[in-house]
Amino acid sequence: MFSGHSLGFPVTLKRGPEPQLCLQDMHFGGVPVRLYLPRPRVPSAALRPAIIFFHGGGWIYCSIDSHDNICRYIARESGSVVVSVGYRLAPEHKYPAAYEDCLHATVHFMRNAEHYGVDSAQISVCGDSAGGNLAAAVSQTLAGRADLPRLRAQILIYPGLQAVDMDLPSYQQNRGVPLLLRERAAFFALLYLHGDASHKQDVLKGHHVSPEMRQKYKKWVSPNNIPERFKARGYNPQKTRDITAEIFKKFERISEPSLCPLLAEDAVIQQLPESFILTCEYDVLRDDGLLYKKRLEDNGVPVTWCHLEDGFHAIISFYDYGWLSFPSGKRGLDRVVQFIKGL
C-alpha cells in the first residue's frame, strides 16, 4: 500500500550533529533502533514523554536514516524522546516480520522506559504510510495487555489499513497521482504478504476476497462510510467481480488485524488510545484513514483529524528539502507536534 524510493521518495540526506539532541544507535531485543534524546536546557529529573516511530516505505523501502529528519524534528520541537525502529523489510522478510519487530521493540522500550528518562504512561506510537499500518497494528495488540502500561496515543500519518478493497473512491480518484500509484499500492502489499506480486491484477480487480469475507467486512470497508464530499471528484461503484476460490485461499491472512488493522473487532477498537490521523486529498490511502477515523469515533475513541486538502502521499517527508519542500508538508508535521505537546 505504500511509498518508496522507486516512487521518488526523498533520498537520505547525511545530517551532522544536532545541538539540541543526543542520538544513540542501539538494539532492542535484536531490533535496530535510533534514540533521539532532547538535551535539557537545565538539569532536570523530570521524566519525558516518548514517541516510538515506524518509518514508511511500503514495508520494502526506507530505513531509520531515510526518516531521520522527521524524527529529529519531532524530538526537537515536542521535547519528546523519539525511538525510530529499523524493522526487517520485505520481500526478504515477509509479513509478519515487520510487525513483530515493531511490537518487540515497543514492548522492550515500555518495560525499560525509565532507563531512558521516559514516563511509561506517556509513550505513544507513530508511523507514516506503511509505518502507520504498523503503528495501528501494534496499538491494537497492546490494547488488552495488562502487563504493560497503556499507550498514551497512536499517531497515524496517511496509513494503509486494509487490503480488502482497492477500488474505494480515493483509489479511483488518485490512481495515477504520485507518489503512490494504485498499482504500486497493490505491488507493495503483495510483496509484504507473499514476497511476490504475481496476483497484483487479482487484487486490483477484487478477485482475492471471497463473497463471505466481503459480506463480513462491508460494514467497515465500504464507500457508504465515506462522506459524500470525498466522492465529488468522481466515483464509479464496483461492478460484479469474478469469483476465484483458488485465489481466495492465498489471501486468507488479509483478515488478520495485524496486517489490516481496519478489520479489527469492535471489542479491540474500543480499547484503543487517543488517536491522531492525518490524511491527504491526493492519496490513494485517504479513504483508509477516513474509514478508520469513523470506526474509532463510533467506538468512543477520541480522534484528532488533520486533512491536507492540497496534500499527496509522503508529503511530510518533503517538509525541508529545499526547492522540493511543500508548505502543507510542514503544516502537517507541525500538527503532529502540536498533538504530541497537547497530550
Side-chain angles (χ1 to χ4, degrees):
M1 302 172 200
F2 309 83
S3 60
H5 289 291
S6 66
L7 297 174
F9 201 92
V11 296
T12 300
L13 298 181
K14 294 295 183 181
R15 297 178 181 271
E18 181 76 46
Q20 300 178 46
L21 301 173
C22 175
L23 276 60
Q24 299 179 8
D25 289 336
M26 58 184 64
H27 288 77
F28 286 172
V31 180
V33 300
R34 178 173 296 163
L35 269 65
Y36 299 79
L37 305 163
R39 300 182 191 274
R41 291 189 176 90
V42 295
S44 173
L47 297 177
R48 293 182 179 274
I51 307 297
I52 303 175
F53 186 87
F54 310 129
H55 67 78
W59 302 289
I60 66 175
Y61 293 115
C62 299
S63 64
I64 289 173
D65 285 338
S66 68
H67 285 62
D68 182 69
N69 62 327
I70 293 176
C71 291
R72 289 186 186 216
Y73 189 87
I74 292 173
R76 187 173 62 245
E77 299 300 321
S78 72
S80 303
V81 171
V82 173
V83 180
S84 184
V85 179
Y87 56 85
R88 287 171 291 170
L89 300 176
E92 291 80 9
H93 303 283
K94 296 182 291 186
Y95 168 80
Y99 157 73
E100 290 177 342
D101 285 356
C102 291
L103 178 62
H104 292 160
T106 301
V107 171
H108 177 95
F109 184 73
M110 295 178 80
R111 286 178 172 161
N112 297 277
E114 291 193 13
H115 177 74
Y116 302 102
V118 167
D119 181 352
S120 62
Q122 292 292 322
I123 298 174
S124 303
V125 291
C126 175
D128 69 309
S129 193
N133 167 282
L134 295 166
V138 167
S139 185
Q140 289 182 4
T141 301
L142 297 179
R145 291 278 293 264
D147 61 324
L148 292 169
R150 176 179 167 82
L151 284 173
R152 180 63 184 87
Q154 60 173 349
I155 301 165
L156 313 179
I157 302 170
Y158 30 76
L161 300 168
Q162 59 86 30
V164 171
D165 189 349
M166 290 192 172
D167 209 32
L168 292 168
S170 62
Y171 277 96
Q172 291 189 10
Q173 295 164 5
N174 304 306
R175 62 191 307 127
V177 178
L179 294 171
L180 183 61
L181 312 183
R182 178 172 175 263
E183 288 206 0
R184 297 299 285 175
F187 175 79
F188 291 138
L190 284 167
L191 285 187
Y192 181 44
L193 177 59
H194 290 152
D196 71 76
S198 57
H199 291 289
K200 183 176 70 174
Q201 290 305 316
D202 291 309
V203 171
L204 291 172
K205 294 175 182 177
H207 297 171
H208 65 305
V209 179
S210 70
E212 294 77 17
M213 182 182 291
R214 195 171 297 280
Q215 179 67 25
K216 178 179 179 180
Y217 293 122
K218 73 175 184 179
K219 58 184 176 181
W220 299 329
V221 186
S222 168
N224 296 331
N225 294 342
I226 296 168
E228 288 301 313
R229 75 181 180 96
F230 291 105
K231 302 172 189 175
R233 290 196 291 121
Y235 173 61
N236 295 314
Q238 300 165 335
K239 299 177 181 179
T240 303
R241 302 174 180 83
D242 294 334
I243 305 301
T244 314
E246 179 183 352
I247 300 297
F248 299 160
K249 295 179 181 179
K250 298 180 183 292
F251 287 89
E252 290 176 338
R253 300 196 74 178
I254 66 169
S255 64
E256 297 178 14
S258 52
L259 177 64
C260 297
L262 185 58
L263 307 185
E265 296 294 331
D266 284 343
V268 174
I269 300 293
Q270 291 164 6
Q271 299 181 69
L272 292 175
E274 183 176 353
S275 303
F276 176 96
I277 297 177
L278 184 144
T279 54
C280 293
E281 179 61 27
Y282 300 98
D283 181 5
V284 292
L285 300 184
R286 181 197 69 199
D287 292 349
D288 282 26
L290 295 178
L291 292 172
Y292 204 49
K293 172 180 176 288
K294 178 175 173 21
R295 287 216 61 201
L296 291 165
E297 292 174 337
D298 288 349
N299 282 279
V301 178
V303 178
T304 298
W305 175 46
C306 172
H307 183 64
L308 301 180
E309 293 284 356
D310 56 350
F312 55 85
H313 194 76
I315 192 170
I316 281 180
S317 293
F318 291 90
Y319 87 91
D320 70 343
Y321 275 77
W323 65 273
L324 273 177
S325 297
F326 292 85
S328 57
K330 174 70 159 51
R331 189 166 68 248
L333 190 55
D334 284 339
R335 285 291 304 275
V336 170
V337 169
Q338 179 185 357
F339 174 77
I340 293 169
K341 293 173 72 173
L343 292 173

